[in-house]
Amino acid sequence: MFQLNTWIEKGITILIILVVGWIVSRFVKSLILRLTGKSPDQGAVTFLASATSLLIKIMVIVMILEQLGVNSNVIVGAFSACTLGISLALRSNMADVAGGMQIIFTKPFQVGDFVKVLDHEGTIQRIEIMYTVMETISHTEVIIPNSKLVENTITNYSKEGKVFIHIPMTLSAGVDMENVQATFYHVLREDPDVIQTEDMDVQIDSLESGFQLGVYCAVYSHRYPKAEANLKKKLQEARIKAQINLPSQTVVVHGQVN
């Protein structure tokens, strides 16, 4: 009866440690994020908060094992062996952790930067231990493993404060190029998002299927890509107003004549 009571007490203690430990880990993580909310390096903050939460959970597991009567030396040895085994089994995950540390120390980007990596463009929201969270132009949350970020080319539009854009347009071969250039240059000069001190150009990229026109300019990175979308709309409205035609399309109807 005494042994049963002892195991009941240990079970209750373990349950309390588990519940309190998990609550504390979440509380500490949110506390770190809240206290350092105005830190200029939010990537390091989210990484630290995530790592601290994980460390507390590991401590909780060790405390539970001690309650079960496992010797601390055995725990350390088993933990080391498990760590080695897990590291070998989850090499990609360890690469993600190493990638997260590399991102924090080398700072190719920070939270709030607008970047392009792989096939994704968006704003960095969080840098966790194993992954980075990005919000795309369409407000979709994309989770990218940190190892993928450090292995691939990253274009950080926020570093320079400006983004050079190219807007292709296909026009009819019979258009007046002087009128086209004057119309589109006017749009560029009147657009507040276009950096007026940077080079801008309206030129012919190709003569296939009419004029393949290219509009080139630079916009402020904190406004991209909304600035690009607005500029495309303004160029189309100016084209219609100036009666600049698109290439005509020939429709061929196949049928049988009785």
Side-chain angles (χ1 to χ4, degrees):
M1 186 67 179
F2 176 75
Q3 188 175 7
L4 178 62
N5 290 336
T6 302
W7 277 107
I8 291 174
E9 290 177 0
K10 284 188 176 183
I12 294 173
T13 303
I14 289 171
L15 182 61
I16 292 173
I17 292 173
L18 182 63
V19 173
V20 173
W22 249 247
I23 292 174
V24 169
S25 69
R26 297 185 66 177
F27 173 76
V28 170
K29 181 177 181 178
S30 62
L31 181 64
I32 292 173
L33 294 174
R34 188 164 60 250
L35 292 177
T36 56
K38 295 183 179 180
S39 171
D41 191 354
Q42 284 298 303
V45 170
T46 54
F47 187 88
L48 175 63
S50 183
T52 303
S53 176
L54 179 61
L55 180 61
I56 292 175
K57 290 177 180 178
I58 292 174
M59 292 172 61
V60 168
I61 294 173
V62 171
M63 292 173 64
I64 290 174
L65 291 175
E66 288 182 342
Q67 286 295 319
L68 293 173
V70 181
N71 187 278
S72 58
N73 292 329
V74 175
I75 294 175
V76 173
F79 182 74
S80 300
C82 288
T83 301
L84 178 60
I86 292 172
S87 299
L88 294 174
L90 302 175
R91 282 174 291 182
S92 61
N93 297 75
M94 297 306 295
D96 291 332
V97 175
M101 296 179 66
Q102 183 175 337
I103 291 170
I104 293 302
F105 287 112
T106 61
K107 291 183 172 57
F109 56 79
Q110 298 181 7
V111 171
D113 284 356
F114 189 89
V115 305
K116 177 180 180 180
V117 59
L118 298 173
D119 295 327
H120 305 292
E121 283 187 339
T123 304
I124 300 298
Q125 300 296 318
R126 301 193 310 277
I127 303 173
E128 300 285 351
I129 290 181
M130 298 175 62
Y131 59 87
T132 294
V133 179
M134 170 193 294
E135 183 180 2
T136 65
I137 300 169
S138 58
H139 301 289
T140 302
E141 186 175 88
V142 177
I143 298 174
I144 305 175
N146 288 331
S147 59
K148 296 295 183 183
L149 290 172
V150 298
E151 289 172 0
N152 290 276
T153 301
I154 301 172
T155 303
N156 190 339
Y157 296 118
S158 299
K159 285 287 186 180
E160 296 295 328
K162 57 190 175 185
V163 181
F164 291 93
I165 60 175
H166 167 224
I167 301 177
M169 301 186 73
T170 303
L171 303 177
S172 173
V175 297
D176 182 354
M177 274 304 300
E178 290 187 2
N179 179 38
V180 171
Q181 290 181 317
T183 300
F184 290 164
Y185 271 124
H186 178 74
V187 174
L188 294 177
R189 294 192 183 98
E190 294 297 320
D191 194 314
D193 290 320
V194 175
I195 304 176
Q196 301 298 317
T197 55
E198 295 292 339
D199 292 338
M200 60 181 72
D201 199 2
V202 179
Q203 66 179 33
I204 299 174
D205 290 340
S206 173
L207 293 175
E208 297 180 3
S209 302
F211 280 120
Q212 299 291 330
L213 199 72
V215 178
Y216 298 84
C217 65
V219 298
Y220 295 103
S221 59
H222 70 277
R223 288 283 299 160
Y224 177 81
K226 184 176 290 186
E228 184 181 32
N230 290 337
L231 184 57
K232 287 180 179 179
K233 181 181 178 181
K234 290 177 181 179
L235 289 170
Q236 289 295 345
E237 291 173 347
R239 180 192 63 77
I240 295 171
K241 185 176 181 180
Q243 298 182 342
I244 300 171
N245 298 326
L246 297 175
S248 58
Q249 295 181 344
T250 302
V251 179
V252 180
V253 179
H254 298 276
Q256 181 176 2
V257 179
N258 296 323

